[in-house]
């Protein structure tokens, strides 16, 4: 089964950590670094963390552990 | 009658895929250079995602057809037009003022005003800029047309384009945040697919714009078939 994806996406108010398919973001952080740190637990649970640039393109794709 | 409820298909993602027609075509008059791509790409995606067909002068490579002929054909085939004037100002010494986009607005507004076919009276025009009312400094004849400002921010551009279609009376559009999130998901799907095909990150980031648009179109079609 493909790993579940979590996206770190630019929002007007900061950076959102959002599971793909969820209606709402799990949390919106004021900084991208904070969003990356906040997503580590999800990565340890096996989720791929997809970090987007401000323009939506891919900055980094962290495989789930 | 709400034009979005006219027997058209709704898919899993709850968006619509429209046949190619005058009432769904959107002429995109904007730069195609590398600096503008971070705005052009989400603009094209948003138009598709809202159920319309973006039309661009670069959409086909036919050396037997002049660029002006292509543009005239697109203008006459499109009820809607989006003109991004955020890059018409020269940005360095000795750089020329960029006149293609103002020229193409003129053609589009001229088609609406002077063409004998009454269907062109229904044309609708959106002007985008990066700084509020900045374009009027170079194109004051358009004073009175209310532009929308995206601040050169891709997410804001998505919201402004969505708002414009809403103001035209399309009431069943998805929220701007959904369109923006879907664009990010599309980017992830594209990255994964191209990586599997052997593309490296640099190649994916620099896909030719026509190829990128084709990927958007395929993504939209693929999701519309999941109903």
């Amino acid at each position: 089964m493909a790993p579940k994806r979590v996206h770190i996406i630019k929002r007007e108010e900061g950076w959102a950590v959002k599971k793909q398919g969820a209606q709402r973001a799990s949390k919106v952080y004021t900084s991208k670094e904070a969003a990356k740190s906040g997503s580590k637990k999800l990565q340890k649970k096996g989720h791929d963390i997809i970090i987007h640039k401000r323009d939506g393109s891919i900055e980094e794709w962290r495989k789930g552990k | 009658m709400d034009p979005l409820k006219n027997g058209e298909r709704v898919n899993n993602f709850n968006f619509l895929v429209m046949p190619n027609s005058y009432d769904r075509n959107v002429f995109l008059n904007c730069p195609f250079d590398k600096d503008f791509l971070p705005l052009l790409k989400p603009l094209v995606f948003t138009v598709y995602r809202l159920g319309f067909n973006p039309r661009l002068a670069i959409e086909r490579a036919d050396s037997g057809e002049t660029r002006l002929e292509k543009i005239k054909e697109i203008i006459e085939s499109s009820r809607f037009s989006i003109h991004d004037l955020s890059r018409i100002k020269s940005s360095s010494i000795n750089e020329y003022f960029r006149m293609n986009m103002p020229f193409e607005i003129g053609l589009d507004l001229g088609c609406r005003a002077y063409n004998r076919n009454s269907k062109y009276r229904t044309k609708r025009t959106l002007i985008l800029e990066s700084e509020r009312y900045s374009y009027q400094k170079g194109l004051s004849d358009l004073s009175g047309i209310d532009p929308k400002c995206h601040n050169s921010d891709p997410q804001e551009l998505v919201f402004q384009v969505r708002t414009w279609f809403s103001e035209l009376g399309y009431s069943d559009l998805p929220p701007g945040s959904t369109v923006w999130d879907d664009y990010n998901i599309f980017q992830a799907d594209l990255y994964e697919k191209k990586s599997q095909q052997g593309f490296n990150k640099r190649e994916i980031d620099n896909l030719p714009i026509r190829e990128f648009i084709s990927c958007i179109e395929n993504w939209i079609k693929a999701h519309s078939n999941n109903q």
Side-chain angles (χ1 to χ4, degrees):
Chain A
M1 195 173 73
K4 289 180 181 173
R5 291 170 171 183
V6 174
H7 297 265
I8 295 180
I9 300 175
K10 183 73 182 81
R11 283 276 192 274
E12 195 178 353
E13 61 273 34
W15 289 86
V17 174
K18 187 180 179 188
K19 290 180 184 173
Q20 188 165 320
Q23 285 291 319
R24 293 174 181 278
S26 308
K27 191 170 179 181
V28 180
Y29 295 85
T30 52
S31 76
K32 195 173 193 177
E33 285 310 310
K36 287 180 187 176
S37 298
S39 69
K40 281 179 181 171
K41 280 184 185 172
L42 292 166
Q43 190 183 8
K44 285 178 184 168
K45 287 181 181 173
H47 294 77
D48 278 4
I49 309 297
I50 303 163
I51 302 162
H52 294 264
K53 297 180 190 172
R54 294 178 68 89
D55 68 0
S57 64
I58 307 301
E59 177 181 300
E60 188 184 351
W61 191 306
R62 295 179 176 171
K63 291 286 180 188
K65 292 175 182 172
Chain B
M1 180 171 54
D2 184 336
L4 291 181
K5 290 181 178 171
N6 196 15
E8 292 156 336
R9 290 186 299 146
V10 180
N11 57 35
N12 253 14
F13 276 53
N14 198 29
F15 63 85
L16 301 146
V17 176
M18 299 298 158
N20 199 317
S21 69
Y22 172 76
D23 286 326
R24 286 285 157 184
N25 286 345
V26 184
F27 168 44
L28 299 185
N29 175 21
C30 53
F32 302 118
D33 55 65
K34 195 173 178 183
D35 287 348
F36 193 74
L37 289 181
L39 294 170
L40 175 62
K41 290 174 175 179
L43 172 60
V44 171
F45 181 89
T46 300
V47 171
Y48 270 123
R49 180 64 180 81
L50 296 178
F52 295 84
N53 303 308
R55 301 289 312 273
L56 298 89
I58 54 164
E59 67 189 26
R60 58 186 189 268
D62 177 359
S63 56
E65 187 182 31
T66 66
R67 183 182 162 91
L68 183 57
E69 284 171 340
K70 277 181 203 169
I71 290 165
K72 282 163 61 182
E73 184 277 321
I74 291 171
I75 285 172
E76 289 174 10
S77 303
S78 304
R79 181 178 173 203
F80 304 100
S81 58
I82 298 176
H83 306 268
D84 192 304
L85 299 185
S86 58
R87 302 293 191 274
I88 59 172
K89 185 181 173 185
S90 55
S91 55
S92 60
I93 294 171
N94 291 332
E95 186 186 356
Y96 284 99
F97 179 76
R98 299 173 74 169
M99 293 187 282
N100 277 342
M101 286 157 285
F103 174 69
E104 290 168 26
I105 289 181
L107 287 177
D108 193 35
L109 294 177
C111 180
R112 177 175 168 174
Y114 302 123
N115 197 301
R116 289 180 183 176
N117 189 330
S118 61
K119 78 173 181 180
Y120 294 119
R121 304 292 105 76
T122 66
K123 271 179 161 286
R124 294 294 177 264
T125 301
L126 169 64
I127 293 177
L128 292 170
E129 58 181 354
S130 57
E131 247 178 274
R132 188 150 290 283
Y133 301 115
S134 59
Y135 80 88
Q136 292 180 358
K137 292 171 188 168
L139 202 56
S140 57
D141 284 355
L142 290 182
S143 297
I145 294 181
D146 200 22
K148 292 198 181 295
C149 182
H150 54 55
N151 299 314
S152 293
D153 177 70
Q155 188 187 4
E156 186 62 24
L157 180 144
V158 169
F159 279 75
Q160 293 296 343
V161 170
R162 190 263 175 210
T163 298
W164 180 63
F165 279 109
S166 171
E167 288 169 355
L168 291 177
Y170 292 94
S171 57
D172 284 353
L173 301 172
S177 57
T178 298
V179 178
W180 174 244
D181 286 356
D182 284 353
Y183 177 64
N184 281 263
I185 291 170
F186 157 74
Q187 283 275 9
D189 288 345
L190 176 69
Y191 185 89
E192 187 172 48
K193 185 179 175 185
K194 291 294 179 187
S195 298
Q196 288 165 355
Q197 291 172 350
F199 287 69
N200 63 35
K201 189 171 185 311
R202 186 172 172 276
E203 288 170 323
I204 298 169
D205 286 342
N206 293 291
L207 275 185
I209 186 62
R210 256 193 293 225
E211 187 175 349
F212 187 88
I213 291 171
S214 170
C215 293
I216 294 175
E217 201 171 20
N218 290 336
W219 190 91
I220 295 282
K221 281 178 187 166
H223 287 85
S224 73
N225 291 334
N226 287 340
Q227 56 189 321

